Amino acid sequence: QVVLQESGGGSVQAGGSLRLSCVASAYQTCMGWFRQVPGKEREGVASMGGTTAHYADSVKDRFVISRDSARNAAFLTMNNLEPDDSGTYYCAAKLYAGGCGLNHEYTVWGQGVQVTVSS
């Protein structure tokens, strides 16, 4: 069973930056980041398969997803953070593709890391 280990959450003031990391115990074709706030549905933030990245409109031009295939890792660099970016961020992955977009079903999930952005 594949395990995802996330790190890098924390608290930051608006306008600041954070970098999330996710390492998978085995290669995954698609890796992405989703976030959830209590009382709201989970939403896709960014995902990547190969060299193609997908972003939610709300984070375009502020967040960058990258991967290190040799380490089975994915990273989310979050710049110019806003209070609405606060939430629990989950790394997700899947081995079999059929698309790596945010609207595709991901089969492996991490435990989540907390991101808090204060105004």
Side-chain angles (χ1 to χ4, degrees), residues 38-54:
K40 292 187 178 181
E41 291 188 359
R42 184 174 59 200
E43 63 172 342
V45 176
S47 61
M48 192 168 195
T51 58
T52 302
H54 308 268

Side-chain angles (χ1 to χ4, degrees), residues 4 27-32 67 92-101 103-108:
L4 304 179
Y27 173 78
Q28 301 293 293
T29 303
C30 307
M31 295 185 75
R67 293 190 60 178
K94 61 174 181 169
L95 179 60
Y96 300 105
C100 297
N103 59 339
H104 286 85
E105 182 179 359
Y106 281 71
T107 55
V108 185

